[in-house]
């Protein structure tokens, strides 16, 4: 499986608030299916980011099109394949 970063920029804040619970339930379902590596919102209100696990960008686009945020026009989306590199340790150490 590959990693794909999907950015979800805010289009309509009112719709985003209205469909937030549906969106989060959809993400829970995808997480149970093993499709989500990580996700979260940007604290400045810009939108959010989901790192999906999939075989192709086309597969992620199909997942995105069924997200309540996308279906209702609350958010837009942009998908990029992500080549993950990490050397993080806990707690993080300064280099």
């Amino acid at each position: 499986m590959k990693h794909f970063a999907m950015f979800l920029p805010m289009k309509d804040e009112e719709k985003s608030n209205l469909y937030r619970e549906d969106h989060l339930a959809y993400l829970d379902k995808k997480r149970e299916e093993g499709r989500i590596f990580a996700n979260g919102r940007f604290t400045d209100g810009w939108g959010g980011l989901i790192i999906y696990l999939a075989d192709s960008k086309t597969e992620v686009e199909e997942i995105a099109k069924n997200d309540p945020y996308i279906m209702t026009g609350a958010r837009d989306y942009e998908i990029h394949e992500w080549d993950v590199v990490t050397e993080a340790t806990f707690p993080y150490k300064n280099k």
Side-chain angles (χ1 to χ4, degrees):
M1 292 238 178
K2 300 175 185 177
H3 291 82
F4 292 88
M6 186 170 87
F7 295 91
L8 292 142
M10 184 74 67
K11 284 178 64 177
D12 186 318
E13 189 171 356
E14 185 175 322
K15 284 183 180 179
S16 187
N17 289 332
L18 183 62
Y19 293 104
R20 179 174 172 74
E21 293 303 317
D22 294 337
H23 166 73
L24 294 176
Y26 184 73
L27 293 186
D28 285 343
K29 179 181 172 191
K30 294 298 154 193
R31 187 173 289 102
E32 289 172 9
E33 293 172 4
R35 294 297 184 183
I36 294 181
F37 175 77
N39 69 284
R41 66 181 185 88
F42 293 109
T43 59
D44 63 3
W46 182 86
L49 170 68
I50 305 168
I51 308 296
Y52 279 109
L53 298 168
D55 293 321
S56 68
K57 184 176 180 180
T58 302
E59 188 177 345
V60 179
E61 287 171 342
E62 287 303 312
I63 293 170
K65 290 176 184 175
N66 289 298
D67 185 323
Y69 270 174
I70 305 306
M71 293 174 63
T72 62
R75 305 277 179 101
D76 202 356
Y77 70 94
E78 185 176 318
I79 301 167
H80 299 273
E81 188 173 342
W82 187 41
D83 187 12
V84 180
V85 177
T86 182
E87 294 180 16
T89 60
F90 294 94
Y92 293 110
K93 60 182 179 182
N94 293 328
K95 290 188 177 186

